[in-house]
Amino acid sequence: MYLVIRFHVMMLLVTIAWILFRFIIGIKNQKVSIKREIQLLAVYICIIFICRFVYFPLEHDIYGIAPLVFVKNLMFPPRINLIPFNFLTDVYPGWQINIIGNILMFIPVGIVWPICFKELDNIKKTVLAGFGFTLLIELSQLPFFDRCSDVDDLILNTTGAAIGAVIYFGIQRIKHAYTAKRHLAT
């Protein structure tokens, strides 16, 4: 079995599924909050952005963005790196961009997700959510022979989510201190 998944097709299907899901939730709740939908749109943008760079390599083919390819016979053995910090010795063209990109790509998760999900009310919960999302992504790459599930990606992506969470909760702390100081002054 051979399946080629193009970026634009995947994004179209994900977008349609997102819109249908949000529409069904709106009907079920019998109300729609524009503010909440904008917040969730930020989550959607984070997910789409991450999917673009995780599942579709930066290299281009004659049609544009190279596709994600599933070949049943090449599924096993999956490509997995379980050695932490292997990137320190495995130097290849673009390894610095890979490290920086994996961190930067998840900083918005640490910032946007606590805004949208009130359950993520501290750094620890936000980092754990970022870790869980990264783990889901790494596991979802297992069936694709040209993708590699890597513990380094798990570490770097979680670091990015942690940096984002520190930024978000740091800003929140400054805002609360400023508000309290202003309140005391009046």
Side-chain angles (χ1 to χ4, degrees):
M1 181 180 166
Y2 182 82
L3 178 65
V4 175
I5 304 168
R6 295 239 163 247
F7 172 71
H8 297 93
V9 172
M10 183 178 185
M11 294 306 106
L12 179 64
L13 293 175
V14 168
T15 301
I16 290 169
W18 180 272
I19 291 169
L20 286 173
F21 178 74
R22 296 307 310 152
F23 184 73
I24 290 168
I25 295 296
I27 290 172
K28 181 182 174 196
N29 293 339
Q30 296 181 350
K31 67 177 183 170
V32 174
S33 165
I34 299 300
K35 179 182 176 185
R36 179 72 178 147
E37 292 304 318
I38 290 171
Q39 289 175 337
L40 291 174
L41 183 61
V43 171
Y44 168 79
I45 290 168
C46 284
I47 292 169
I48 292 297
F49 179 79
I50 290 168
C51 286
R52 161 56 179 103
F53 292 105
V54 168
Y55 297 110
F56 299 93
L58 292 176
E59 301 83 28
H60 287 75
D61 67 5
I62 59 172
Y63 302 106
I65 298 171
L68 183 63
V69 179
F70 172 79
V71 180
K72 184 179 177 184
N73 297 344
L74 298 177
M75 232 172 94
F76 295 103
R79 293 177 51 200
I80 303 173
N81 170 37
L82 297 175
I83 302 168
F85 304 107
N86 193 40
F87 61 82
L88 296 175
T89 59
D90 183 24
V91 178
Y92 55 89
W95 65 275
Q96 299 100 333
I97 292 172
N98 184 45
I99 292 169
I100 294 167
N102 272 300
I103 293 170
L104 291 177
M105 179 168 55
F106 272 76
I107 290 175
V109 169
I111 295 170
V112 171
W113 287 23
I115 292 170
C116 296
F117 306 113
K118 298 302 175 201
E119 298 82 14
L120 302 179
D121 57 359
N122 62 47
I123 292 174
K124 183 178 177 181
K125 289 179 184 178
T126 304
V127 171
L128 189 59
F131 173 83
F133 182 47
T134 300
L135 182 61
L136 176 70
I137 288 170
E138 293 304 313
L139 293 174
S140 71
Q141 292 182 83
L142 289 174
F144 300 98
F145 74 92
D146 61 340
R147 308 306 306 147
C148 179
S149 294
D150 193 338
V151 69
D152 293 334
D153 290 347
L154 197 60
I155 293 165
L156 295 169
N157 294 162
T158 303
T159 300
I163 291 168
V166 167
I167 291 168
Y168 173 75
F169 288 104
I171 290 170
Q172 291 301 105
R173 186 176 219 171
I174 290 167
K175 281 175 47 178
H176 289 299
Y178 177 75
T179 303
K181 185 178 176 182
R182 216 171 127 198
H183 182 68
L184 289 174
T186 56

